[in-house]
Amino acid sequence: MTSAAASAPPAAASTAEPSPEPVRRPLLDWRIRFGALSLVWGFSFLFIKVGNEAFAPLYVTLGRMLFGTAVLLVTLVVKRERLPRGARVWGHLAVAAFFLNALPFSLFAYAELTIPSTLAGICNAASPLWGMLLAVVVVSDDRPTRQRVAGLGLGFIGVLIVLGAWQGFSGQDPLGTALALIASASYAVGWQYVRRTLSDTGHSHLSMSGGQLLLGTVQLALVAPVFAPTPTSFPALPLLSVLALGALGTGVAFLVQYGLVDEVGPTTAMMVTYFVPVIATTAGVAILGEHLTWNTPVGAVIVLIGAALTQRRSGASRTPSGGRSRTVRVHRTGS
């Protein structure tokens, strides 16, 4: 309360309308945070590749989940929020954690044993295409328009160009590529599940995402020791890569994404998806020295155009920029 308000006479205080609380503006402009999020998610595929040099893919994913969960749990404590309550919510969160975190994160890690990080980043951009395909095949209240169906077809043509389908997939490993595409499809399944089961729980985004990542960490902690060799050494560079992948690419990235959605709306915030493959490709070529043929960037552009078209809806169904989405956006990352 200001000193002027404190010195106001009782009569005036009782008749005047309460002044609204001042809006706390973030320290950094949203465009800067948008760019930082694009960089972090774009570099996630490089971090996975480097982590794979010393650790089994399941342990790369477990470390990622562990560090990401730690960031969100600390944030929950600082903000004095609690994890969700109720067996039903936790049951749905366990399914969401599997399809949005444990499964796709692990598949991308396994995929990058045999394919470049650039290709993995581009496969990740196919997630909206799988979502559109799911909407076409499965009965949904989000009915596809002609434009969105056209975007679906265009996007998958772009995928075939990226893979060099006319010349035997340009020497890319079929299994690794399939794993990356299945990972991107897993996101689409997870989004649909969350939309139908966790859209109105009464819990905050932070609380739900903290619970989701915690469950995903438990899932990986149970699976990794059974199916992968336990690390016996921890080289500095791979360990730092896994730490960055989890703490930055999973934990901090969620907090930045949530802030963007809250400030500029989900439509603008989701545009970060289209920058991720560009950064992943640039990082893979410039830092890891991965080979890039003409069809990879050309196909990637077509994939992104198709993905953008699949996200266009009629004016009545769009969320205005700057407005808040009422759907609980449970956490995922760009890889």
Side-chain angles (χ1 to χ4, degrees), residues 200-215:
D200 188 20
T201 63
H203 298 289
S204 71
H205 294 39
L206 178 59
S207 174
M208 295 289 285
S209 296
Q212 179 186 317
L213 283 190
L214 178 61
L215 287 172

Side-chain angles (χ1 to χ4, degrees), residues 122-182:
I122 293 170
C123 289
N124 179 76
S127 294
L129 304 178
W130 291 115
M132 183 68 245
L133 182 61
L134 199 61
V136 172
V137 175
V138 180
V139 177
S140 172
D141 56 352
D142 185 17
R143 302 309 303 167
T145 63
R146 291 182 180 179
Q147 180 173 276
R148 298 178 70 193
V149 172
L152 175 65
L154 185 64
F156 281 111
I157 290 174
V159 171
L160 293 177
I161 293 175
V162 168
L163 300 179
W166 65 93
Q167 53 183 3
F169 295 99
S170 296
Q172 303 291 356
D173 178 66
L175 178 59
T177 304
L179 291 177
L181 289 173
I182 294 172

Side-chain angles (χ1 to χ4, degrees), residues 303-321:
V303 168
L304 294 178
I305 293 173
L309 289 175
T310 65
Q311 299 306 296
R312 293 181 65 88
R313 295 172 173 81
S314 61
S317 62
R318 291 182 188 174
T319 302
S321 180

Side-chain angles (χ1 to χ4, degrees), residues 18-78:
S19 58
E21 294 184 8
V23 178
R24 297 179 62 184
R25 294 187 177 184
L27 296 177
L28 296 177
D29 183 82
W30 73 267
R31 297 170 187 83
I32 297 177
R33 287 176 283 131
F34 182 97
L37 183 60
S38 301
L39 284 172
V40 168
W41 276 351
F43 270 83
S44 292
F45 299 95
L46 180 149
F47 294 147
I48 292 172
K49 178 69 78 172
V50 176
N52 278 346
E53 294 178 357
F55 310 118
L58 281 177
Y59 277 100
V60 171
T61 305
L62 175 59
R64 173 183 192 168
M65 297 287 290
L66 184 64
F67 291 126
T69 301
V71 170
L72 293 192
L73 292 183
V74 168
T75 305
L76 279 169
V77 172
V78 170

